Amino acid sequence: MGKEYLPCIAMTIVQVGYAGMNVLSKLAMDSGMHPFVTVAYRQVFATLFLIPFAYICERKTRPKITPHILFQIFVSSIVGATMNQCLYFLGLKYSTPTIACALNNLVPAMTFVLAIPFGMETVGIKRRSGQAKVLGTIVCVGGAMLMSFYKGSLIKIGESGIHWRYAEHMGASNTSNSGNNFIGPLFVVASCIAGSAWFIIQTKMSETFAAPYTSSALMCLMSSVECGIIGAFADPHIKAWTLGPKLRLIAAVYCGVVGSALAFCLMSWAIQKRGPLYVSMFNPLLLVIVAVLGWAILDEKIYMGSAMGSVLIIIGLYAVLWGKGKEENQTRDAEKSVEEGKELPVYSTPTNVHKMIDL
């Protein structure tokens, strides 16, 4: 019976790990570490951690790595690692961990929108599932806009008794990085678009190269070089690349090992056991954990605009996930009807069923 809860435990560990990554990264950047330098080190440590997994787990099943596959991985590294993470860490620098995590819940809705032109998703506006996905996307975008452009009044929830004085010192020395500056949320939204585009590219690539650990290791390796070049141009001083004080080293190693490599392994395993929809449903848990940690440790202030926007994004997220889950159930029922020779509903012709199964 205990094995049934292992995917839940794994995804909870992932969200706790991501929460720690957001808090540590924010502190490292507040100490003067450039966001691009942070991302570069994250890719380096992720690569070092993933290479043994790729070799051990896929040495007998790995397909041949062709020039076409390398090009696809290169594109994935630019979009899914370099652009996505550089934009996200820029957004985190100029906002707060809570706002960044809340806006990151836009990814499922944006993935749905980007997948439509490629024939990977259908709107189906006449069905409840399609209406839920469209309405959920609109609500998510509305929540993101509210968080980006509306501050509102301060929500008074008291002070934490375990507030970290070091974090207070870092925050005081970086007052220019206001948690309610609209530039930060816009960077995070841009990172969500890049992340959604990466899902599309990755889905296509997985059809011809089913070796997730190898492709991820190569992607992180390529991104290490790309982020290193970008970071060198953004801040060429040697001092900017030092991992002192110790917080920078801890943040860099943590981001690479826990935030990238370990999180990917656990999510891949959970997807195999319960599917991508199950994994996506844990995203809002990250927002709750980060909000609590931000308030308790970083003395993060929460404003009405952020709270209302977060609620709208979560509502929209679950509407999209509900619609997607409903659609998948309809597809399975239609597939079963085809196998049993039963008459199909109007929206589930054999052609459509086989098309959706292939996707």
Side-chain angles (χ1 to χ4, degrees):
M1 291 294 291
K3 292 182 179 181
E4 298 178 2
Y5 298 100
L6 287 179
C8 178
I9 295 172
M11 287 311 304
T12 302
I13 292 173
V14 168
Q15 301 307 323
V16 172
Y18 276 149
M21 182 193 72
N22 278 271
V23 173
L24 284 174
S25 299
K26 177 64 174 176
L27 286 173
M29 288 185 288
D30 283 350
S31 73
M33 193 175 189
H34 197 283
F36 295 160
V37 175
T38 307
V39 176
Y41 276 122
R42 175 181 180 178
Q43 300 307 320
V44 170
F45 286 112
T47 302
L48 295 175
F49 190 86
L50 278 171
I51 286 176
F53 273 95
Y55 176 76
I56 295 172
C57 299
E58 296 175 344
R59 66 183 185 277
K60 295 182 179 179
T61 59
R62 185 187 304 112
K64 184 180 179 181
I65 302 177
T66 63
H68 179 67
I69 294 298
L70 281 176
F71 177 75
Q72 288 182 318
I73 295 175
F74 173 68
V75 174
S76 293
S77 71
I78 294 176
V79 177
T82 302
M83 288 181 60
N84 172 254
Q85 293 184 18
C86 284
L87 288 169
Y88 182 83
F89 275 73
L90 273 175
L92 180 61
K93 178 179 176 64
Y94 293 108
S95 64
T96 66
T98 300
I99 290 177
C101 291
L103 290 172
N104 203 45
N105 284 310
L106 285 170
V107 171
M110 289 185 173
T111 303
F112 163 65
V113 173
L114 292 179
I116 293 174
F118 294 94
M120 301 173 67
E121 285 284 352
T122 56
V123 178
I125 197 64
K126 294 183 179 180
R127 305 193 299 272
R128 286 187 177 182
S129 58
Q131 294 168 359
K133 290 191 294 184
V134 172
L135 182 60
T137 301
I138 295 173
V139 172
C140 277
V141 173
M145 293 180 65
L146 184 65
M147 292 186 72
S148 300
F149 299 106
Y150 176 68
K151 179 178 179 179
S153 58
L154 176 66
I155 299 178
K156 298 180 180 179
I157 54 177
E159 295 186 0
S160 167
I162 59 172
H163 176 49
W164 194 6
R165 294 301 174 188
Y166 178 79
E168 181 180 0
H169 173 71
M170 287 295 100
S173 62
N174 287 273
T175 54
S176 60
N177 299 341
S178 172
N180 299 282
N181 192 323
F182 74 94
I183 294 178
L186 289 182
F187 276 130
V188 178
V189 172
S191 79
C192 292
I193 296 175
S196 300
W198 177 76
F199 279 125
I200 306 299
I201 298 170
Q202 194 71 11
T203 300
K204 292 293 184 181
M205 186 179 69
S206 63
E207 296 175 358
T208 55
F209 190 74
Y213 297 117
T214 301
S215 62
S216 295
L218 289 173
M219 182 183 71
C220 290
L221 176 62
M222 294 178 183
S223 182
S224 300
V225 178
E226 295 159 6
C227 292
I229 294 173
I230 295 173
F233 276 101
D235 197 340
H237 300 94
I238 298 297
K239 186 178 179 180
W241 291 83
T242 59
L243 292 177
K246 290 182 179 180
L247 176 64
R248 296 189 184 187
L249 176 61
I250 294 172
V253 175
Y254 186 97
C255 286
V257 175
V258 178
S260 289
L262 182 61
F264 172 79
C265 294
L266 290 176
M267 285 192 294
S268 298
W269 178 80
I271 288 173
Q272 288 181 339
K273 294 296 182 181
R274 294 292 178 88
L277 186 64
Y278 179 86
V279 172
S280 299
M281 291 180 68
F282 282 83
N283 283 3
L285 178 61
L286 174 60
L287 174 58
V288 176
I289 298 172
V290 168
V292 173
L293 288 178
W295 166 76
I297 297 177
L298 305 181
D299 195 28
E300 182 181 333
K301 307 298 182 183
I302 300 177
Y303 292 86
M304 186 61 68
S306 299
M308 293 172 61
S310 299
V311 171
L312 287 176
I313 289 174
I314 291 177
I315 292 174
L317 169 67
Y318 277 115
V320 173
L321 293 177
W322 181 88
K324 184 62 179 175
K326 191 78 172 177
E327 190 176 74
E328 290 176 353
N329 290 335
Q330 291 169 349
T331 303
R332 282 193 292 268
D333 292 342
E335 180 185 6
K336 186 177 180 181
S337 298
V338 170
E339 293 175 351
E340 296 177 355
K342 295 180 180 179
E343 185 178 351
L344 295 172
V346 176
Y347 59 81
S348 296
T349 63
T351 303
N352 289 339
V353 170
H354 292 306
K355 182 179 179 181
M356 295 181 74
I357 292 171
D358 291 338
L359 292 175

